């Protein structure tokens, strides 16, 4: 029996060390969240939120100064236009460290943090007229005052986690949920105006509010939907090839959207009819970006695509840049340069001009 | 890691989850039952081998060569191998099924984590693992089972113990792993006062399993607990439970 004993004990030790090692490594669990204002770029990724000089990528400050246990930051910071920055955090254990922070945009000093949520902040908050609407994976949409008070009289709770930033139009908040529904909520009272029918799959896509009375979303059920923003009824449904994480971008009455398999489509916003499609060489997760009659998006293969219409009215594409790593984050425009959040690359941020020439990149120093 | 097992396990759990009314706790229990049924022939063989080994080591012939060659380990090993061959017993055959269980634990560990994806990159990975039609409609999976969130380490908070979480499931895993080890170890004949080589393992296993259950997701602990109970029931069904090991003074551990 002794011959059996030692291999077994060795296996137990190996197993515990193996599992233990896996559990303590803090691997990225999402993609960089980006924001820009004035001469600063803000990037939330991993253990910190960084403020960088837009012109050259020099680090201005980081929050927190020292990494705190398993605390992580991924949702794109939001700015209130009044010198403050808001962002959410979460911990690997999900039991604590799920906070919303308000920090000074100039130096990263914390003004306050709110720790009332019981789960992760995957999505960015929305700042509206002195209030903050922060969706959380505990399924609650928290309304906070800008001095950090939870306004509990105003309440909204879905049935599953909330992974998308709400949008507002004419006093109505539009919110998608992982519970397969889209909600219209009166901003002043928190009263639910309408709920869509069960859309059959989870939604992590921030609603796009069109000028035509519709809102547009993508779903994990491989669909893009147009929903009447007054009634919540589905106007049309377009089938994609795979899960849709991002939000459609709209340009000249057409919707531009990609899916997880790398299929990129142009849809007629009135009917949902497919007008053009492209098979990109990697999954498309982030929302496309419209700039001057052109549409840009990144792929899991690290390629940055530019789509433009030809003289004949058709569409064409070009790959303007390739980064080392995966691009899941939506691209962000800062003046005349593009910010690219990168996962599994040497840098977490690559900055290019509109022709695809790299200007600088950023890798955090420990 | 062990993707060829992890991905099928992920799909099996999601399939069970959908079939039984979207209850992930029940899905893990049924999944464990299925795994145990599939590996039962090996488990049964392990028990037979263990019993044969113990009978062999209590035989006069075995005892004689231990005394005779106690100062010549090389010769002793040769003689032991001869007896193994004569009796048709392999010293490693009882070890292999245990090894198999360890190999299975790793993909189960990953599968539980993947299925209960709670972050964007985890969900992206899960979406690529899923091969079941319309599986996206089941996302996100409901991780609540009884008082537990199966995606998180389990703690029970009681009103009269503010701020103190009791790891109920980890404690039950420790107890059932210990019971399993004791009940499935062949009883030592009365009067045999020799050393019990499995005594250390009988204590080490519950501590290890309890520790893993304490720090990792409750889903994994539920897998351990179900597996322990199924093993005890399987052995009971074959009439081989060593209840005498539970009496004080027996089992020497």
């Amino acid at each position: 029996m002794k011959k059996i004993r030692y291999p077994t004990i060795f296996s137990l030790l190996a197993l515990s060390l193996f599992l233990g090692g896996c559990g303590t490594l803090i691997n990225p669990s999402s993609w960089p969240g980006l924001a820009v204002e004035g001469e600063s770029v803000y990037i939330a990724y991993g253990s910190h939120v960084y403020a960088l000089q837009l012109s050259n990528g020099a680090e201005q400050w980081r929050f927190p100064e020292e990494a705190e246990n398993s605390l992580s930051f991924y949702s794109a910071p939001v700015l209130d236009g009044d010198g403050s920055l808001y962002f959410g955090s979460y911990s690997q254990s999900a039991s604590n460290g799920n906070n919303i922070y308000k920090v000074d945009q100039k130096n990263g000093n914390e003004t306050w943090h709110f720790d009332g949520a019981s789960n992760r902040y995957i999505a960015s908050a929305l700042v509206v007229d002195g209030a903050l609407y922060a969706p959380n994976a505990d399924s609650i949409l928290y309304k906070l005052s800008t001095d950090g008070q939870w306004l509990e009289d105003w309440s909204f709770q879905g049935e599953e986690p909330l992974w998308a930033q709400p949008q507002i139009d004419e006093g109505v908040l539009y919110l998608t949920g992982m519970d397969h529904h889209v909600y219209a909520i009166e901003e002043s009272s928190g009263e639910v105006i309408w709920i869509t029918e069960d859309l059959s799959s989870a939604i992590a896509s921030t609603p796009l509010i069109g000028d035509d009375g519709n809102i547009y979303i993508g779903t994990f059920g491989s669909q893009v939907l147009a929903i009447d923003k007054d009634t919540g009824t589905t106007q049309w449904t377009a089938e994609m090839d795979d899960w849709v994480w991002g939000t459609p971008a709209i340009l000249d009455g057409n919707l531009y959207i990609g899916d997880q398999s790398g299929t990129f489509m142009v849809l007629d916003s009135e009917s949902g009819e497919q007008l053009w499609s492209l098979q990109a060489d990697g999954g498309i997760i982030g929302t496309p970006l419209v700039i001057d009659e052109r549409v840009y998006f990144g792929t899991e293969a690290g390629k940055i695509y530019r789509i433009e219409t030809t003289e004949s009215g058709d569409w064409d594409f070009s790959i303007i840049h390739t980064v080392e790593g995966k691009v899941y984050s939506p691209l962000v425009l800062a003046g005349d340069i593009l910010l690219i959040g990168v996962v599994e690359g040497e840098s977490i941020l690559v900055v290019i001009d509109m022709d695809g020439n790299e200007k600088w990149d950023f890798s955090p120093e420990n | 890691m062990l993707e060829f097992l992890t991905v099928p396990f992920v799909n099996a759990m999601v399939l069970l989850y959908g079939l039984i009314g979207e209850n992930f706790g029940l899905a893990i229990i049924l999944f464990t039952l299925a795994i145990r049924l599939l590996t039962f022939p090996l488990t049964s063989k392990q028990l037979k081998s263990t019993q044969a080994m113990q009978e062999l080591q209590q035989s006069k012939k075995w005892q004689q060569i231990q005394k005779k060659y106690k100062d010549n380990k090389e010769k002793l090993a040769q003689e032991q191998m001869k007896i193994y061959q004569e009796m048709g017993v392999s010293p490693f055959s009882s070890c292999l099924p245990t090894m198999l269980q360890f190999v299975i634990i790793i993909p189960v560990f990953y599968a539980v984590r993947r299925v209960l994806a709670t972050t964007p990159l985890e969900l992206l990975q899960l979406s690529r693992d899923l091969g079941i039609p319309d599986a996206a409609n089941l996302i996100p999976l409901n991780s609540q089972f009884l008082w537990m969130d199966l995606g998180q380490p389990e703690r029970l908070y009681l009103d009269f113990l503010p701020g103190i979480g009791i790891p109920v499931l980890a404690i039950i895993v420790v107890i059932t792993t210990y019971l399993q080890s004791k009940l499935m170890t062949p009883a030592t004949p009365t009067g045999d006062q020799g050393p019990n080589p499995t005594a250390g393992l009988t204590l080490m296993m519950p501590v290890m399993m309890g520790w893993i259950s304490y720090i990792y997701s409750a889903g994994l602990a539920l897998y351990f607990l179900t597996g322990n109970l199924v093993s005890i029931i399987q052995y009971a069904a074959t009439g081989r439970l060593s209840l005498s090991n539970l009496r004080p003074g027996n089992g020497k551990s």
Side-chain angles (χ1 to χ4, degrees), chain B residues 52-240:
Chain B
M53 282 289 292
Q54 188 154 42
E55 286 167 13
L56 182 147
Q57 288 170 356
Q58 287 163 3
S59 68
K60 280 188 178 175
K61 196 170 183 180
W62 183 271
Q63 303 292 345
Q64 283 168 355
I65 64 163
Q66 302 297 320
K67 287 178 186 171
K68 190 173 179 181
Y69 300 112
K70 65 181 180 185
D71 297 325
N72 186 347
K73 292 198 171 177
E74 195 177 331
K75 182 68 177 168
L76 177 63
Q78 286 174 358
E79 291 299 316
Q80 283 178 339
M81 284 310 293
K82 273 187 195 171
I83 298 177
Y84 286 142
Q85 285 169 356
E86 284 170 16
M87 304 283 285
V89 173
S90 165
F92 301 108
S93 62
S94 59
C95 173
L96 288 175
T98 307
M99 292 294 183
L100 181 68
Q101 289 300 336
F102 291 150
V103 170
I104 288 174
I105 285 172
I106 293 168
V108 166
F109 172 80
Y110 279 105
V112 169
R113 282 175 60 137
R114 279 195 199 175
V115 169
L116 294 175
T118 53
T119 66
L121 282 180
E122 288 173 357
L123 191 56
L124 189 59
Q125 172 71 54
L126 174 63
S127 71
R128 293 192 159 134
D129 289 341
L130 293 174
I132 304 164
D134 299 326
N137 300 351
L138 299 171
I139 303 296
L141 273 63
N142 178 10
S143 59
Q144 290 297 317
F145 180 61
L146 302 177
W147 71 93
M148 299 171 272
D149 180 345
L150 295 171
Q152 302 298 327
E154 178 268 345
R155 303 286 185 272
L156 181 63
Y157 292 91
L158 300 171
D159 291 341
F160 60 89
L161 288 172
I164 298 174
I166 305 167
V168 177
L169 203 54
I171 292 169
I172 297 174
V173 166
V174 170
I175 293 169
T176 53
T177 309
Y178 179 76
L179 284 175
Q180 181 196 15
S181 301
K182 295 287 281 183
L183 292 170
M184 289 163 51
T185 302
T188 308
T190 309
D192 184 351
Q193 297 302 314
N196 183 349
T198 62
L201 197 60
T202 305
L203 285 177
M204 195 170 175
M205 278 284 279
V207 172
M208 285 287 183
M209 293 296 114
W211 177 66
I212 293 170
S213 303
Y214 178 76
I215 63 170
Y216 294 112
S217 65
L220 194 65
L222 186 61
Y223 172 80
F224 290 152
L225 172 60
T226 310
N228 289 344
L229 295 177
V230 170
S231 290
I232 292 171
I233 292 167
Q234 278 178 336
Y235 276 66
T238 58
R240 288 166 171 153

